[in-house]
Short mmCIF file of all heavy atoms in Angstrom, two decimals:
data_model
loop_
_atom_site.label_atom_id
_atom_site.label_comp_id
_atom_site.label_asym_id
_atom_site.label_seq_id
_atom_site.Cartn_x
_atom_site.Cartn_y
_atom_site.Cartn_z
N LYS A 237 79.40 100.63 85.36
CA LYS A 237 79.69 101.74 86.25
C LYS A 237 80.74 102.61 85.54
O LYS A 237 81.87 102.17 85.32
CB LYS A 237 80.22 101.23 87.59
CG LYS A 237 80.31 102.30 88.67
CD LYS A 237 80.65 101.69 90.03
CE LYS A 237 80.65 102.75 91.12
NZ LYS A 237 80.96 102.18 92.45
N VAL A 238 80.36 103.84 85.17
CA VAL A 238 81.16 104.67 84.28
C VAL A 238 81.65 105.92 85.00
O VAL A 238 80.90 106.57 85.74
CB VAL A 238 80.34 105.08 83.04
CG1 VAL A 238 81.15 106.01 82.14
CG2 VAL A 238 79.90 103.84 82.27
N LEU A 239 82.91 106.29 84.75
CA LEU A 239 83.50 107.53 85.27
C LEU A 239 83.70 108.48 84.10
O LEU A 239 84.33 108.12 83.10
CB LEU A 239 84.84 107.23 85.94
CG LEU A 239 85.65 108.45 86.41
CD1 LEU A 239 84.91 109.22 87.50
CD2 LEU A 239 87.04 108.01 86.91
N ASP A 240 83.19 109.70 84.22
CA ASP A 240 83.31 110.73 83.19
C ASP A 240 84.29 111.80 83.68
O ASP A 240 84.02 112.51 84.64
CB ASP A 240 81.93 111.33 82.92
CG ASP A 240 81.95 112.44 81.88
OD1 ASP A 240 82.95 112.56 81.15
OD2 ASP A 240 80.95 113.18 81.80
N SER A 261 75.59 102.91 86.76
CA SER A 261 75.71 104.22 87.40
C SER A 261 76.82 105.02 86.73
O SER A 261 77.68 104.46 86.05
CB SER A 261 76.01 104.06 88.90
OG SER A 261 77.28 103.47 89.10
N VAL A 262 76.77 106.32 86.94
CA VAL A 262 77.76 107.22 86.35
C VAL A 262 78.25 108.19 87.42
O VAL A 262 77.46 108.71 88.21
CB VAL A 262 77.18 108.01 85.17
CG1 VAL A 262 78.18 109.02 84.65
CG2 VAL A 262 76.75 107.06 84.05
N THR A 263 79.56 108.43 87.42
CA THR A 263 80.17 109.47 88.25
C THR A 263 80.88 110.45 87.32
O THR A 263 81.66 110.04 86.46
CB THR A 263 81.19 108.89 89.24
OG1 THR A 263 80.55 107.97 90.11
CG2 THR A 263 81.83 110.00 90.07
N GLY A 264 80.59 111.72 87.49
CA GLY A 264 81.30 112.75 86.74
C GLY A 264 82.16 113.58 87.67
O GLY A 264 81.73 113.91 88.77
N ILE A 265 83.39 113.89 87.24
CA ILE A 265 84.26 114.75 88.04
C ILE A 265 84.68 115.96 87.21
O ILE A 265 84.84 115.88 86.00
CB ILE A 265 85.51 114.01 88.58
CG1 ILE A 265 86.44 113.55 87.45
CG2 ILE A 265 85.09 112.84 89.44
CD1 ILE A 265 87.78 113.02 87.94
N GLU A 287 76.27 110.66 89.94
CA GLU A 287 76.95 111.35 91.04
C GLU A 287 77.96 112.32 90.41
O GLU A 287 78.64 111.98 89.45
CB GLU A 287 77.69 110.32 91.90
CG GLU A 287 78.62 110.93 92.94
CD GLU A 287 79.60 109.90 93.53
OE1 GLU A 287 79.83 108.86 92.89
OE2 GLU A 287 80.12 110.17 94.63
N PHE A 296 91.71 112.37 91.99
CA PHE A 296 90.62 111.41 92.17
C PHE A 296 91.21 110.04 92.51
O PHE A 296 92.14 109.57 91.84
CB PHE A 296 89.79 111.33 90.89
CG PHE A 296 88.49 110.62 91.07
CD1 PHE A 296 87.45 111.18 91.80
CD2 PHE A 296 88.28 109.38 90.49
CE1 PHE A 296 86.24 110.52 91.95
CE2 PHE A 296 87.08 108.72 90.62
CZ PHE A 296 86.05 109.28 91.36
N ARG A 298 89.39 106.98 93.06
CA ARG A 298 88.44 105.87 92.99
C ARG A 298 88.41 105.20 91.62
O ARG A 298 87.44 104.54 91.25
CB ARG A 298 87.04 106.37 93.35
CG ARG A 298 86.90 106.83 94.80
CD ARG A 298 85.63 107.66 95.01
NE ARG A 298 84.45 107.08 94.37
CZ ARG A 298 83.32 107.75 94.16
NH1 ARG A 298 83.23 109.03 94.53
NH2 ARG A 298 82.29 107.16 93.58
N PHE A 299 89.47 105.36 90.84
CA PHE A 299 89.48 104.80 89.48
C PHE A 299 89.19 103.30 89.47
O PHE A 299 88.56 102.79 88.55
CB PHE A 299 90.82 105.07 88.80
CG PHE A 299 90.97 106.46 88.26
CD1 PHE A 299 91.55 107.46 89.03
CD2 PHE A 299 90.53 106.78 86.98
CE1 PHE A 299 91.69 108.75 88.53
CE2 PHE A 299 90.66 108.07 86.48
CZ PHE A 299 91.24 109.06 87.25
N GLY A 300 89.65 102.60 90.48
CA GLY A 300 89.50 101.15 90.51
C GLY A 300 88.08 100.65 90.66
O GLY A 300 87.81 99.45 90.51
N GLU A 301 87.13 101.57 90.92
CA GLU A 301 85.74 101.17 91.09
C GLU A 301 84.98 101.01 89.78
O GLU A 301 83.89 100.44 89.76
CB GLU A 301 84.99 102.23 91.92
CG GLU A 301 85.52 102.42 93.33
CD GLU A 301 84.74 103.52 94.07
OE1 GLU A 301 83.66 103.92 93.57
OE2 GLU A 301 85.23 103.97 95.11
N TYR A 302 85.55 101.47 88.66
CA TYR A 302 84.73 101.66 87.46
C TYR A 302 84.97 100.61 86.38
O TYR A 302 86.06 100.05 86.24
CB TYR A 302 84.97 103.07 86.91
CG TYR A 302 84.49 104.10 87.91
CD1 TYR A 302 85.38 104.66 88.84
CD2 TYR A 302 83.15 104.44 87.99
CE1 TYR A 302 84.93 105.57 89.79
CE2 TYR A 302 82.69 105.34 88.94
CZ TYR A 302 83.59 105.90 89.84
OH TYR A 302 83.14 106.78 90.79
N ASP A 303 83.90 100.39 85.59
CA ASP A 303 83.94 99.44 84.48
C ASP A 303 84.33 100.12 83.17
O ASP A 303 84.61 99.45 82.17
CB ASP A 303 82.56 98.80 84.28
CG ASP A 303 82.06 98.10 85.53
OD1 ASP A 303 82.86 97.38 86.15
OD2 ASP A 303 80.88 98.29 85.89
N ALA A 304 84.31 101.45 83.15
CA ALA A 304 84.70 102.22 81.97
C ALA A 304 85.02 103.64 82.40
O ALA A 304 84.41 104.16 83.34
CB ALA A 304 83.59 102.23 80.92
N VAL A 305 85.97 104.27 81.71
CA VAL A 305 86.33 105.66 81.97
C VAL A 305 86.28 106.40 80.64
O VAL A 305 86.85 105.95 79.64
CB VAL A 305 87.73 105.77 82.59
CG1 VAL A 305 88.14 107.24 82.74
CG2 VAL A 305 87.77 105.08 83.95
N LEU A 328 93.43 101.75 86.45
CA LEU A 328 92.20 101.03 86.11
C LEU A 328 92.36 99.53 86.28
O LEU A 328 93.47 98.98 86.18
CB LEU A 328 91.80 101.34 84.66
CG LEU A 328 91.58 102.81 84.33
CD1 LEU A 328 91.13 102.95 82.88
CD2 LEU A 328 90.56 103.43 85.26
N LYS A 329 91.25 98.86 86.48
CA LYS A 329 91.25 97.40 86.52
C LYS A 329 91.54 96.86 85.13
O LYS A 329 91.23 97.50 84.12
CB LYS A 329 89.88 96.88 86.99
CG LYS A 329 89.47 97.30 88.38
CD LYS A 329 88.10 96.73 88.74
CE LYS A 329 86.99 97.30 87.88
NZ LYS A 329 85.64 96.88 88.35
N VAL A 332 89.28 97.19 81.57
CA VAL A 332 88.39 98.37 81.57
C VAL A 332 88.69 99.23 80.33
O VAL A 332 89.85 99.54 80.05
CB VAL A 332 88.59 99.19 82.85
CG1 VAL A 332 87.91 100.55 82.74
CG2 VAL A 332 88.05 98.43 84.06
#
Side-chain angles (χ1 to χ4, degrees):
K237 190 172 184 180
V238 177
L239 174 64
D240 179 16
S261 65
V262 175
T263 299
I265 65 171
E287 171 195 21
F296 193 70
R298 294 164 45 195
F299 281 93
E301 298 179 14
Y302 296 94
D303 303 315
V305 175
L328 302 182
K329 298 180 294 188
V332 168

